[in-house]
Amino acid sequence: MNPRNSELIYIIFAGLIIFIGMSLVLYATGQSWQADTMLLVGLLAMIFIMANFGIRLLCPNGNKIIFPIAALLCGLGAIAIYRLDSTTASLQLLWIAIGIVAMIFIMLIFPDYTKMRHFKYLTGILGIMLLFLPVFFGVTRGGSKLWLDFGFFKFQPSELAKVLLVIFFAAYLDEKKEVLALKQKIGRLTLPPLKHLGPMIVMWFFSMLVLILEKDLGSALLFFSLFIVMLYLATGKISYILSGLSLFIFGAAFCYFAPKIYPFFASHLGHVRVRIDIWLNPWLDPKGGGYQILQSLFAIANGGIAGVGFGKGHPSFIPAVKTDFIFSSIAEELGLFGAMSLLLSYLLFIYQGLKISLQTNDGFGKLIAAGLSFIFGLQTMLIVGGVTKLVPLTGVTLPFVSYGGSSIVANFIIVGLLLKISARTSQVGVTS
Amino acid sequence: MQARIRSLVIIFLIGFLIITLNLTYIQIFQADSLLNNPNNTRFLTEELAIERGIMQTADKVVIAKSRIAENGYRRYYPQEEICAPVTGYYDIRFGRSGLEQSYNSYLLGKAKFSTFQEYLDDIAGRGHKGNDLYLTLNYKLQKAAYRAIEGKKGAVVAINPKTGGVLAIASWPSYNPNNISKNWNTLIKDKGSPLLNRALSGRYPPGSSFKIVSASAALDLGLASLKKYYPAPNELPVYGGKVTNYESKSYGQVNLEKAFTKSINTVFGQVGLDVGAIKLVDYASRFGFNREIPFDLDMRQSQTKQATAMDKLEVAWTAVGQAATLATPFQMALVGATIANSGNLMKPYLVQKIRNYKGLRVMDAKPQILEKVMKKKTAKEVKAMMTKVVDQGTGQAANLGYNKVAGKTGTAEVYGMRPHAWFVGFAPADNPTIAIAVLVENVGTGGANAAPIAKQILSVALSQ
């Protein structure tokens, strides 16, 4: 079957799940289908179907699974948000629409994504600028300085920066991978040539800056590991992973111990220490610092195996439930089964992304697809691990599900790029 | 690069597997303990619609009840600070403690249903009333205990030695459970820790009050008798150190009875060495040390050092009541109650019966022996010594008339501060109806500071 027709069928399935979910929420909260809820679900379905037609025109041979997964996740997220606050849900709907427009736009201006290679320094500089924009113009929320305030909405530029940086790294590494793969022995240690270690040190330094200036543990971690992993993928040198890991451990230890020893860092790195301490023992201050994570655990525990039912939980107990903690709310209402299905959807998305990377024969596209899948997957693991107290909490969004415009738009751009890369592969496959 | 990308797939698979396993752990295995955690207030909104049961003392005073308020019911504690160590608090944000926590499901009427109709009401989500708790607590005594300890950091515990029914649990400073949410920040910052239930969770070196345990062990094992003589110098050299007497007094040759009455450390050092670490710790454990005591309220475990980890000097000091031993006032009340009840430790309890709102039976408590600590004869001998303590020894400030009160004082030395004052005893000596432990932090000797408080409370108890 035409991949776009399969895609449409999957989208209809996703729409069905969203429709049933919404009905459940309405039933549980003692409401019935009204004009506004019908409009919400109807518009959502319409946007997705229109996107399908857009993809038909611009990228007919693209992967048929990733977009429906994105649609399903968006829809579930929108219901979970609607059930908390219907105004925010309509805003989220707007962002989904904007995200899809951005996705189509990317496919439109880059019929051949390999052309992006020519703009690599531009994307690199733009990425770094976006990353540091909040330092100069940002507003502080929840202890981190990540948002730009445009009055009627707030924007988190680091979400877009991650896509731009993947493109930049991919172009840079694809060009330099041979040089970077050279060996150099110092005593018994095999190290990459010192001058090529430079970029790694620079990235590490940038990540530390993000951490200190914006107090954003999540982004710092994402960017640094993104760079290391892409470096490893391009060169195959495990020594990059090892030296990156040692830099990371050094940085982490520094962040944890420096505020205690040097008062100067207390105000800039204190938040890292606080987060780690809360992670280690939230019970020390269950009504204060540990409140949020404990409420998250209580919610998840309340879900049990089958969940309390969509619409029947108590998400309002968890602070920041619409953004960082939306997974806890879903785990409460849909239970272990629901949460596992959600995680499987993410895994399927990541797997499709990596499969696209595996199938393409263009080194640049390979690195972009792998890099995007990696950062998407790592971000999911960080936030789900964070709200379940597996790892310290790093305020990143749950892709497609959390409320947040910049995150939705950035993730749809990821879908657009993956679609483009997969389409090129199948074209090459057909012609050769 | 293909192999490396494939390894990335594997890494994500493993990562998601770990996340799923952790989620399974939280949602299945850890769920119960998380849901019943006192910090978990997420069901309180539903709970607010239920009229929780009352708590009523044995002398028919209601100490906790629900009153209708804006959004459902609100908890009200008519006696405010006085009964807080028993009732605990109940708050939408700050959770619950005391009986409000340990009997939460009963108070909500969810633990057991006395009729099928109630069960149906519950699963249908129809509002119903909770069950009422009828306590062994005696409000008159509780109030007397609170007033006696008021203004002095410390705690009082009174128990009916024959049944194990708890008569009073007072702790000062206390807090007003009606205003818990308003005062939370001041309460948790308060240096006097008013939220700490000193009677059950405060652990202190027992000082000489522990000599009841040492004497019981020695007498029960036949290693000593009341008339056995010991040298009582001002200091007893033991294995690289020494045991010293309070204020370095020397007494010549004294028998065990006199040594107990005058609380002579150097004699009890010898008694401890005669008994040995293993037996000493064994007897302490029979009294309730080093183990969880089943009770209606949370309490911290009292402890001695492990027998195998003690050197001789520590054995000697343990018998005196110092060294690493820590006891809650509740534990020491159990020690007193055991002697009062001829050597049998009764299982302590606070909730006598539970009835539903129609008065139907939900639960009844029955007195149970928790441990046969010593022979009846031994208990009788220790009782005789304790009576002497109050009639002519260190505990005279608790005297309510000849042969009326039995007890033992304790002055627990604290490095760099004034000692904690203890009094552990019971009354009437010949047929005890109340066993008591009094602790006052950092004030001085037990005879001068704790015994008068015990006297005040015991006189109220005996006049009933």
Side-chain angles (χ1 to χ4, degrees), chain A residues 180-414:
Chain A
L180 289 168
L182 288 177
K183 283 180 190 171
Q184 178 172 324
K185 286 210 169 185
I186 299 174
R188 303 182 67 182
L189 231 65
T190 309
L191 282 174
L194 275 180
K195 67 169 179 180
H196 299 300
L197 266 180
M200 182 188 287
I201 307 279
V202 170
M203 269 316 291
W204 181 76
F205 186 69
F206 275 147
S207 302
M208 288 299 281
L209 273 185
V210 169
L211 193 58
I212 294 175
L213 297 178
E214 300 181 19
K215 308 190 174 184
D216 184 0
L217 184 58
S219 299
L221 203 63
L222 282 179
F223 289 120
F224 188 59
S225 33
L226 173 72
F227 184 69
I228 300 300
V229 165
M230 288 186 71
L231 201 54
Y232 167 71
L233 289 178
T235 62
K237 291 281 155 264
I238 201 85
S239 59
Y240 280 122
I241 298 261
L242 296 179
S243 34
L245 213 59
S246 10
L247 277 173
F248 171 77
I249 290 169
F250 172 75
F254 178 78
C255 292
Y256 189 72
F257 294 109
K260 258 269 163 82
I261 306 166
Y262 308 103
F264 165 75
F265 290 108
S267 62
H268 287 99
L269 285 172
H271 62 290
V272 178
R273 195 185 169 91
V274 167
R275 287 209 166 169
I276 292 176
D277 283 339
I278 288 174
W279 173 62
L280 289 173
N281 194 353
W283 302 102
L284 279 181
D285 188 9
K287 325 267 192 215
Y291 187 73
Q292 197 173 33
I293 184 69
L294 290 181
Q295 289 305 321
S296 166
L297 291 180
F298 293 152
I300 296 170
N302 192 30
I305 297 178
V308 295
F310 221 169
K312 286 189 175 172
H314 296 287
S316 55
F317 276 95
I318 319 167
V321 68
K322 279 182 258 183
T323 51
D324 299 5
F325 282 86
I326 196 138
F327 182 82
S328 320
S329 165
I330 293 177
E332 178 184 17
E333 302 199 328
L334 302 184
L336 182 59
F337 289 159
M340 273 165 80
S341 316
L342 192 72
L343 289 173
L344 275 178
S345 310
Y346 279 105
L347 201 55
L348 191 59
F349 187 99
I350 297 160
Y351 173 70
Q352 290 297 325
L354 291 172
K355 201 172 112 186
I356 291 167
S357 169
L358 279 169
Q359 284 171 345
T360 185
N361 51 7
D362 159 44
F364 176 52
K366 234 181 211 334
L367 280 172
I368 296 185
L372 290 176
S373 313
F374 172 75
I375 204 158
F376 182 90
L378 183 64
Q379 182 165 344
T380 307
M381 290 197 350
L382 275 181
I383 189 61
V384 177
V387 302
T388 50
K389 208 177 91 66
L390 197 60
V391 295
L393 191 65
T394 47
V396 293
T397 53
L398 184 63
F400 293 120
V401 177
S402 288
Y403 172 69
S406 10
S407 164
I408 293 276
V409 171
N411 286 312
F412 271 115
I413 293 176
I414 291 181

Side-chain angles (χ1 to χ4, degrees), chain B residues 93-387:
Chain B
R93 164 121 207 216
F94 299 104
R96 41 186 187 250
S97 70
L99 285 176
E100 295 281 22
Q101 159 66 7
S102 50
Y103 277 80
N104 185 42
S105 46
Y106 283 97
L107 288 164
L108 285 172
K110 289 197 175 220
K112 269 182 168 179
F113 302 103
S114 35
T115 62
F116 188 63
Q117 184 58 44
E118 266 180 49
Y119 174 70
L120 288 181
D121 283 350
D122 186 69
I123 53 172
R126 276 190 284 261
H128 60 273
K129 286 180 169 182
N131 299 323
D132 298 331
L133 305 185
Y134 295 89
L135 313 181
T136 57
L137 200 79
N138 182 305
Y139 179 65
K140 227 170 147 189
L141 276 181
Q142 174 72 20
K143 192 172 152 191
Y146 180 82
R147 294 285 175 233
I149 197 81
E150 204 172 4
K152 314 169 181 74
K153 261 186 207 173
V156 174
V157 175
I159 298 179
N160 179 340
K162 287 174 187 154
T163 61
V166 171
L167 302 169
I169 299 177
S171 172
W172 204 92
S174 186
Y175 61 94
N176 185 343
N178 293 318
N179 302 335
I180 193 80
S181 57
K182 203 171 76 193
N183 300 338
W184 183 264
N185 284 325
T186 21
L187 287 173
I188 55 169
K189 279 187 203 132
D190 193 325
K191 289 214 172 68
S193 359
L195 291 175
L196 173 73
N197 188 345
R198 287 174 161 73
L200 296 162
S201 301
R203 297 196 301 180
Y204 308 86
S208 302
S209 63
F210 191 80
K211 286 172 185 159
I212 303 172
V213 177
S214 320
S216 302
L219 291 168
D220 208 43
L221 293 166
L223 298 169
S225 68
L226 299 195
K227 301 297 169 203
K228 183 177 174 183
Y229 273 83
Y230 295 84
N234 62 344
E235 57 179 65
L236 172 75
V238 191
Y239 195 66
K242 59 192 179 184
V243 172
T244 51
N245 281 337
Y246 190 69
E247 292 176 336
S248 292
K249 277 188 198 160
S250 170
Y251 298 85
Q253 288 274 328
V254 294
N255 62 21
L256 184 69
E257 189 177 54
K258 171 120 190 256
F260 191 89
T261 321
K262 298 282 174 205
S263 203
I264 303 170
N265 291 350
T266 49
V267 172
F268 273 85
Q270 297 166 61
V271 169
L273 292 172
D274 290 348
V275 172
I278 293 175
K279 280 291 165 190
L280 191 60
V281 171
D282 174 40
Y283 270 86
S285 308
R286 294 191 197 184
F287 276 103
F289 282 83
N290 303 323
R291 60 164 159 157
E292 294 281 335
I293 297 169
F295 187 52
D296 296 330
L297 293 172
D298 275 346
M299 107 172 86
R300 287 190 72 187
Q301 204 170 314
S302 300
Q303 63 186 39
T304 65
K305 199 169 179 179
Q306 268 188 315
T308 47
M310 276 192 221
D311 63 29
K312 285 207 163 144
L313 184 63
E314 283 171 314
V315 177
W317 272 116
T318 301
V320 172
Q322 291 291 153
T325 311
L326 289 174
T328 60
F330 193 84
Q331 170 61 58
M332 293 317 291
L334 292 180
V335 168
T338 305
I339 305 298
N341 193 36
S342 309
N344 287 338
L345 171 59
M346 303 303 290
K347 177 174 171 276
Y349 66 99
L350 186 55
V351 179
Q352 181 67 57
K353 57 183 187 181
I354 303 177
R355 296 289 179 264
N356 80 351
Y357 69 100
K358 285 178 188 151
L360 290 172
R361 173 179 181 278
V362 179
M363 192 211 86
D364 279 300
K366 277 193 201 78
Q368 273 174 274
I369 294 179
L370 187 66
E371 181 89 43
K372 294 190 170 161
V373 178
M374 69 193 85
K375 298 181 194 107
K376 206 171 171 182
K377 178 173 162 274
T378 311
K380 205 172 161 191
E381 287 169 348
V382 178
K383 185 193 277 190
M385 293 200 293
M386 288 172 73
T387 316

Side-chain angles (χ1 to χ4, degrees), chain A residues 232-234 236 283 286-287 298 300 302 304 314 317 331-332 336 339-340 354 357-358 366 377 381 388, chain B residues 1-2 4-5 9 12-13 16 19-20 22-23 26-27 34-35 37 39-43 46 93-94 184:
Chain A
Y232 167 71
L233 289 178
W283 302 102
K287 325 267 192 215
F298 293 152
I300 296 170
N302 192 30
H314 296 287
F317 276 95
E332 178 184 17
L336 182 59
M340 273 165 80
L354 291 172
S357 169
L358 279 169
K366 234 181 211 334
M381 290 197 350
T388 50
Chain B
M1 204 182 327
Q2 299 300 83
R4 300 194 287 272
I5 296 171
V9 177
F12 275 115
L13 268 176
F16 274 71
I19 288 177
T20 311
N22 181 47
L23 206 57
I26 297 173
Q27 296 195 289
L34 282 173
L35 292 179
N37 189 286
N39 292 304
N40 191 347
T41 54
R42 51 194 303 107
F43 303 114
E46 287 163 30
R93 164 121 207 216
F94 299 104
W184 183 264

Side-chain angles (χ1 to χ4, degrees), chain A residues 129-147:
Chain A
M129 268 172 57
L130 280 177
L131 199 54
F132 287 101
L133 216 50
V135 177
F136 307 104
F137 307 104
V139 289
T140 306
R141 265 205 307 196
S144 302
K145 201 173 183 184
L146 316 176
W147 285 271

